[in-house]
Amino acid sequence: MNVLILSCGTRNKIIQYMKKELAGEGMVIATDMSPNAPALYEADKYYLVPRMTEPGYLEVILDICRKEKIDGVFSLIDPELSLLAEHEERFGELGVRVIGSSYELCERTLDKWQMYQWLSDHGYRCARSYVDPDAFFKDVDQGLISYPVFVKPVRGSASIAISKVYDRETIELLFSHSEDLMIQEYLQGQEIGADCYIDLISGELISVFTKKKLVMRAGETDKGLSFKDQELFELIGRFVKESGFSGQIDIDIFDCGGQYYISEVNPRFGGGYPHAYECGVNHMAYIVQNLRGEKNIPRIGAYEDGWVMMKYNEVMMRREDTK
C-alpha cells in the first residue's frame, strides 16, 4: 500500500507517522515544489513538482500516482484540497482514493464568509461577520458589536494578512485598498483545536481529540494542553453529521464564558495534529484501515487529558549542487 502526501513542506511528523503505520508494507511518497522542504527527506521517495497553480500540475501528480501505484493521496495545504476533490474521479480511475472532503466543502472552508453563513443558518455560535463595512458600522452604532475586530481576507489561511483593528478609520482604509475582505468579531476566550477523523467508508465520526491552545505561532498551535468535555464532543458530532465532511478535519473553536463558538474548519491535518498522535490518537491507522476497504470502530475521546505538547525547532541539512 503506497500513500502520496502532497505539499509536505515542514510537516515532517506527518510523514514519520504514516511511515511508521505502514511499517514496511508500503511506501510514503512526498511532493513539494521546493527542494528545501525538509519533510521530503523523511519520505521513502520524493518528487519535486511545479507550483500547484501552474498548467499541467495535475497531470504531474496523476503520473506519479501511476508510476508509484498509489492507493491514497492527501494534501497538507488548503488550496490543493479543492483540486484533489474536483478531480476525484480521475484519481479513482487509477485506483487512488482521495483522502478528504467534497469539492463543495473544501471551497466552503476556504471562503470564510460562506462558512460563517452556513454556521449561522444552522444555528451554531460563531463570530459575527460582515463583508459590508456600512452594515458593520450600523451594528457598532446599535451596540451589537464593538472594537477591536479582525479584518481578514475572505479567502485565506495560516493567519496571513489578518489585522486587528480598533477604529473605523482603519477599516475604511483597509477596504479602500481591497474588496476581498471581511470584518469578524473578536472572540475573547480560550481557543481550542479539535482533530477529527470521519470514516471514509461509513461516513461516521470515529475520533475526536481536543486541546486548549496555549501558544500560537504562524497560525499553528505551538503549545497545547489536551482536555476532554462531553458537551464539546457532542457539538462536534452534530456539526460533522450536518456538514458532511469526511476524512481528516481540524476545527478551531472558542470557549467564551462556557459557550462554544465554531471559528474555522480545515479539511486536512492541522499543524497541531502531532499532539493527538503522541497521546495515542492514531489517524494514520484509520486512513490505512479505510484504504484496505475496512470501516473503523468509533473511539471518541480515547486519550488522556492533561498532556502538554511543546513544539521546538530542529535542523536538517542538505547539500546544494552549486556547479
Side-chain angles (χ1 to χ4, degrees):
M1 177 182 296
N2 298 330
V3 175
L4 178 61
I5 301 178
L6 306 178
S7 302
C8 61
T10 60
R11 307 291 292 279
N12 295 51
K13 286 296 183 183
I14 300 297
I15 307 287
Q16 292 171 12
Y17 296 155
M18 186 57 75
K19 282 180 65 176
K20 184 177 180 181
E21 189 57 36
L22 290 176
E25 295 183 8
M27 293 196 303
V28 175
I29 318 297
T31 72
D32 204 275
M33 68 177 210
S34 170
N36 296 324
L40 284 173
Y41 306 102
E42 301 280 1
D44 294 300
K45 195 171 182 179
Y46 69 85
Y47 288 84
L48 294 177
V49 297
R51 185 180 294 273
M52 190 202 85
T53 52
E54 289 187 17
Y57 174 79
L58 180 66
E59 298 305 323
V60 171
I61 301 304
L62 290 169
D63 188 54
I64 294 171
C65 289
R66 292 187 195 95
K67 190 180 300 182
E68 300 297 343
K69 297 180 173 59
I70 298 299
D71 295 284
V73 59
F74 62 89
S75 176
L76 297 176
I77 62 170
D78 294 321
E80 200 164 30
L81 303 174
S82 294
L83 180 71
L84 291 178
E86 185 179 11
H87 298 281
E88 185 174 13
E89 188 173 329
R90 294 192 65 186
F91 284 97
E93 290 170 356
L94 300 177
V96 181
R97 181 68 186 258
V98 173
I99 302 160
S101 297
S102 69
Y103 177 78
E104 177 190 3
L105 287 173
C106 290
E107 283 293 291
R108 182 189 297 163
T109 60
L110 270 179
D111 190 306
K112 294 178 175 61
W113 177 247
Q114 280 189 31
M115 195 71 216
Y116 165 71
Q117 289 179 308
W118 188 92
L119 290 168
S120 297
D121 291 345
H122 287 78
Y124 292 94
R125 294 187 183 92
C126 54
R128 191 185 292 265
S129 302
Y130 307 81
V131 289
D132 179 2
D134 290 332
F136 166 70
F137 296 142
K138 182 178 179 181
D139 279 2
V140 170
D141 292 340
Q142 293 179 356
L144 298 176
I145 190 169
S146 60
Y147 295 100
V149 292
F150 285 120
V151 176
K152 56 180 69 175
V154 171
R155 293 175 69 90
S157 61
S159 298
I160 296 172
I162 293 179
S163 302
K164 192 174 182 180
V165 177
Y166 294 83
D167 55 67
R168 176 173 182 146
E169 290 73 22
T170 304
I171 287 178
E172 291 175 337
L173 177 64
L174 289 170
F175 272 82
S176 70
H177 287 85
S178 177
E179 296 179 355
D180 188 29
L181 294 176
M182 65 183 290
I183 303 164
Q184 196 168 69
E185 179 183 10
Y186 173 59
L187 295 177
Q188 299 191 49
Q190 173 64 58
E191 190 171 359
I192 293 164
D195 298 286
C196 311
Y197 189 79
I198 300 98
D199 195 89
L200 298 174
I201 297 174
S202 69
E204 186 177 358
L205 177 67
I206 60 160
S207 177
V208 179
F209 173 86
T210 53
K211 72 265 189 181
K212 296 178 181 179
K213 299 183 179 186
L214 305 180
V215 177
M216 299 292 291
R217 179 170 57 171
E220 292 187 357
T221 307
D222 200 47
K223 296 176 176 62
L225 173 68
S226 65
F227 81 106
K228 301 182 186 184
D229 180 46
Q230 188 59 38
E231 180 184 344
L232 180 54
F233 290 157
E234 290 173 3
L235 172 66
I236 293 169
R238 176 193 154 204
F239 170 76
V240 166
K241 186 175 182 179
E242 291 185 351
S243 60
F245 286 96
S246 61
Q248 178 73 28
I249 68 170
D250 169 55
I251 310 174
D252 291 335
I253 301 160
F254 280 85
D255 178 356
C256 299
Q259 294 185 324
Y260 290 119
Y261 288 68
I262 296 178
S263 175
E264 293 185 10
V265 181
N266 301 301
R268 56 169 171 77
F269 282 100
Y273 172 72
H275 193 174
Y277 185 90
E278 298 297 340
C279 286
V281 183
N282 187 351
H283 289 184
M284 278 60 186
Y286 299 145
I287 289 173
V288 170
Q289 184 89 333
N290 279 166
L291 291 178
R292 288 180 177 140
E294 301 171 5
K295 298 178 184 179
N296 289 288
I297 298 171
R299 301 184 72 237
I300 307 296
Y303 60 91
E304 290 185 10
D305 55 11
W307 282 100
V308 176
M309 177 198 72
M310 300 159 281
K311 285 185 182 179
Y312 61 94
N313 293 333
E314 187 53 274
V315 173
M316 179 181 286
M317 303 291 289
R318 60 175 287 271
R319 181 72 176 176
E320 180 74 36
D321 185 1
T322 56
K323 293 182 181 179

